Amino acid sequence: MVGIDHMTPEEQTELRRRQKSRNLALGGLLVFLAILFYAITIVRMGD
Amino acid sequence: MTILAPSDTQALPADWRDFFALTKPRVMTLVIFTGLCGLLAAPGSINPVIGFTAILCIAIGAGGAAALNQWWEADLDAGMKRTASRPLPAGRMQRSDARDFGIMLSAASVVIMGLAVGWLAASILAVSIVYYAVIYTIWLKPRTPQNIVIGGGAGAFPPMIGWVAVTGDVTLMPALLFAIIFFWTPPHFWALALFIKSDYAKVGIPMMPVVRGQASTRKQILAYSILLVPLAAAPWFIGGTGAIYGVTALALSFAFLGLSVPVAVRRSEEGDAMKPEKRLFAFSIVYLFALFGVLVVDRVAAQYGFSW
């Protein structure tokens, strides 16, 4: 992978945009999993 | 297998949409649908949260297997028009990222299924992933023109897993649901392969129309369509469903058979529009959605005391 210092300004903007969208997607996934595991635990405790 | 340059020189990290594309979302809709139908048609009840988790795990497992399939077949995909724009052949992603993503999804789906739903369902899910990613993709697809018959097994697991998630055991009914998709896959896929066969020939995948020729493929499509008639109605014959399912299954299967006859008796020529093949392929998708949909309708109707 090319270092960020060697990128053109356009490439740096694109890199930041992709990093941001990936972080948001991953963050959303983690929140979803936390809620799901919480719900599973509550249900299984009742078994 | 050689690893080609484009992905190595890629400067930017892959977009999350490319990871999503690796999971073959369109195939996944059918997987989710048949898995859900298996779950809803099974006798007994399941907590909605656990049921949701079971379907989610089936979907994630299918996505993981699809990512592993694309990791392994990146070179082949690059040579086919239909698949050349996928994330790996287009050079939008590192090859090892796709492999790790696939392994991670597969492992996570099996572990979550085991802990939340049950280890029998999780075991069948694990078998289905290994079956698709290893036995089908790596081993048999490049070696035998029967690849699609074998590959059909991979797509046949979801309703069985959905059913087992509810009942906790494998009985004749989930085995029949497995068999229906297993025997549905060859005519479904060969109809497609008949009108896109030049692409598979180019990358050396031994698809039936390329290896055995059109005439043989067309005859085999008809043979599987004939088999589907008693098989699709079998859940009714063994008393696993009511007549709502049974009569609809027979009607759908005879329609499927009716559309496969013109495919079986004709020969295509240069510049052929391949209308009967395209019609059969399109109907085969409607067929499976309708068949599994009516399985659930039949079960719901029986629960409300409506059966004939």
Side-chain angles (χ1 to χ4, degrees):
Chain A
M1 204 170 285
V2 181
I4 192 162
D5 298 338
H6 299 93
M7 287 180 172
T8 62
E10 291 78 28
E11 280 176 336
Q12 286 185 16
T13 314
E14 177 61 14
L15 175 72
R16 294 282 174 240
R17 190 193 66 77
R18 286 196 189 186
Q19 279 178 333
K20 197 178 169 194
S21 72
R22 267 165 67 135
N23 290 347
L24 281 174
L26 207 56
L29 178 72
L30 288 173
V31 169
F32 169 76
L33 283 178
I35 295 169
L36 180 69
F37 290 158
Y38 179 79
I40 291 169
T41 309
I42 298 294
V43 170
R44 299 296 318 229
M45 278 198 308
D47 286 348
Chain B
M1 200 168 272
T2 53
I3 293 169
L4 297 175
S7 58
D8 296 340
T9 55
Q10 159 209 10
L12 291 165
D15 196 281
W16 68 270
R17 288 174 196 85
D18 286 327
F19 281 101
F20 183 65
L22 275 186
T23 63
K24 296 191 184 173
R26 269 205 323 186
V27 175
M28 206 191 270
T29 54
L30 201 61
V31 167
I32 291 174
F33 181 77
T34 56
L36 184 65
C37 288
L39 185 131
L40 293 176
S45 63
I46 187 167
N47 181 288
V49 174
I50 304 299
F52 171 79
T53 308
I55 298 302
L56 186 73
C57 289
I58 293 173
I60 295 174
L68 289 172
N69 167 278
Q70 289 189 52
W71 157 68
W72 186 259
E73 293 187 340
D75 294 338
L76 299 181
D77 284 348
M80 296 200 291
K81 204 172 71 188
R82 187 171 66 90
T83 52
S85 60
R86 284 179 177 174
L88 286 175
R92 294 198 302 274
M93 183 185 279
Q94 301 259 9
R95 202 158 168 167
S96 55
D97 283 355
R99 179 199 60 200
D100 298 345
F101 181 65
I103 293 172
M104 190 196 73
L105 286 188
S106 305
S109 68
V110 172
V111 171
I112 297 172
M113 180 76 100
L115 291 172
V117 183
W119 288 103
L120 181 61
S123 307
I124 303 173
L125 180 63
V127 168
S128 75
I129 294 168
V130 172
Y131 188 101
Y132 183 70
V134 181
I135 299 180
Y136 170 66
T137 302
I138 297 179
W139 186 25
L140 294 169
K141 187 176 176 184
R143 283 178 179 78
T144 163
Q146 293 294 335
N147 47 19
I148 291 309
V149 180
I150 297 143
F157 280 107
M160 187 185 226
I161 300 169
W163 186 288
V164 170
V166 177
T167 63
D169 59 357
V170 181
T171 52
L172 191 56
M173 269 298 284
L176 275 175
L177 300 184
F178 179 95
I180 289 169
I181 301 189
F182 186 82
F183 286 100
W184 163 88
T185 308
H188 160 76
F189 197 87
W190 285 334
L192 174 78
L194 278 173
F195 58 86
I196 58 159
K197 72 167 183 174
S198 55
D199 253 8
Y200 281 113
K202 218 171 87 186
V203 294
I205 288 287
M207 279 301 163
M208 193 60 81
V210 180
V211 181
R212 296 285 146 77
Q214 267 202 32
S216 165
T217 308
R218 289 170 186 280
K219 263 187 235 146
Q220 292 187 65
I221 286 177
L222 184 63
Y224 279 98
S225 305
I226 293 170
L227 260 175
L228 262 182
V229 176
L231 193 63
W236 180 36
F237 297 152
I238 65 162
T241 71
I244 297 174
Y245 171 83
V247 172
T248 315
L250 281 173
L252 284 167
S253 301
F254 276 116
F256 194 101
L257 181 59
L259 287 174
S260 65
V261 169
V263 173
V265 297
R266 74 192 282 273
R267 295 213 60 137
S268 64
E269 284 148 22
E270 202 62 23
D272 200 309
M274 304 297 262
K275 276 209 178 125
E277 292 76 12
K278 286 177 180 167
R279 206 178 296 134
L280 178 65
F281 177 72
F283 182 75
S284 69
I285 297 167
V286 175
Y287 173 86
L288 204 68
F289 270 101
L291 195 70
F292 278 82
V294 79
L295 185 72
V296 177
V297 170
D298 186 281
R299 164 106 186 118
V300 173
Q303 270 173 340
Y304 285 94
F306 181 80
S307 58
W308 40 271

